[in-house]
Amino acid sequence: MESKISILVTCLTFATAFQLLLPLSEASLKVGFYKKTCPRAESIVKSTVRSFVRKNSGLGAGLIRMFFHDCFVRGCDASVLLDPSPANPDPEKNSIPNNPSLRGYEVVDAAKAALEKECPGVVSCADIIALAARDASFLLGKISYKIPTGRRDGKVSNNAEVLQFLPAPFFNLSQLEASFAIKGLSTADMVALSGAHSIGRSHCSSFTSRLYPNIDWTMSQRFGFFLRRLCPQNATVDGVVPQNFFKPNRLSAQYYFNVESLIALFFSDWTLLTSQKTAQQVDAYTKVPGLFEADFAKAMVNLGNVEVLTWPKGEIRGPTCRL
Ligand code: HEM
């Protein structure tokens, strides 16, 4: 009897220790993390994002993309914001997917400056990115959701890791699925998050391989000829075009109509049609009002859980998010 009790006690102790240790990172993210330590944190980020996005809605697109690019490389730890320094001589922001196309850094700078005035050393840069992406989703798509906070910032940022983890516009479906799966995200999350390609822009260089020497058969030929005029073959500057020619500043299910009509910019967009499951999800977003918005909100929360650092790991970077 005594030995049975001692086995039971050992098991329970083990289970409790296991519970305490295992989900530490996700367990301590919570909605309203700054409620006591910096009550105005979320409203400060929101008003900063609003003031920038009102002037330039492209920055809202930039912030949503920044959240994705941050979370896919070393988790959502603001490593994408670090400037070159002796500790990180060649950081993520120098990489091909981020330079020169990633934008919105000045919005994070302004939010961090305001937060440091209000409550110095409290709000992480990783949370600023997550909150800013949430606020941009509302401003551009009326998509509203609560995002858990409590992320801490990383100290390492390395250019070489970016191409290893971020999917490329020439990826096929299984490559896309693999790059999301490795980050703990489902194919359904991937399809929903891709709706972010209803806003913002792309440089011609991201898709000209679909235009020359022949217009890819996976693209509407009319659309291909139209894009050729905007992105001439021997142009000296890399032009930019909207991702979505209908409502370029509206985060919406229009992306999925574009995919089905073969008028989305990237091969990776087209590949969503290449499995029955993903094609059905695409189609559902074109047919069921509100479905895309609901799934996008959930998928953004999932994206925000990727490999997060929570206390005692990481730091609260400051006074700027760049160093
Ligand atoms: C599924 C794999 C994905 C691929 C291959 C991909 C690729 C790209 C590329 C090549 C660009 C254009 C960059 C340029 O040339 O300027 C772009 C833009 C963009 N992407 Fe993605 N992306 C993917 C997923 C996502 C996700 C998950 C999000 C966010 C949730 C996202 C949000 C955006 C936004 C908002 C833009 C426009 C940015 C701006 O206007 O500044 N993308 N993406």
Side-chain angles (χ1 to χ4, degrees), residues 58-69 72 97 100-103 166-171 176 179-180 189-190 192-207 238-240 243 255 265-266 268-269 272 296 300 303:
L59 290 174
L63 289 166
I64 292 172
R65 183 167 180 243
M66 180 185 283
F67 183 47
F68 169 49
H69 285 206
F72 263 50
S101 62
L102 196 63
R103 48 182 175 161
L166 277 181
F170 50 79
F171 272 16
L176 291 180
S179 67
F180 277 69
D189 285 327
M190 189 263 290
L193 289 170
S194 297
H197 289 174
S198 54
I199 50 171
R201 64 182 190 190
S202 171
H203 288 76
C204 294
S205 55
S206 298
F207 57 85
D238 194 2
V240 290
Q243 296 258 9
Y255 166 76
L265 295 178
F266 310 131
S268 55
D269 296 320
L272 302 187
F296 182 81
M300 287 289 271
L303 177 59

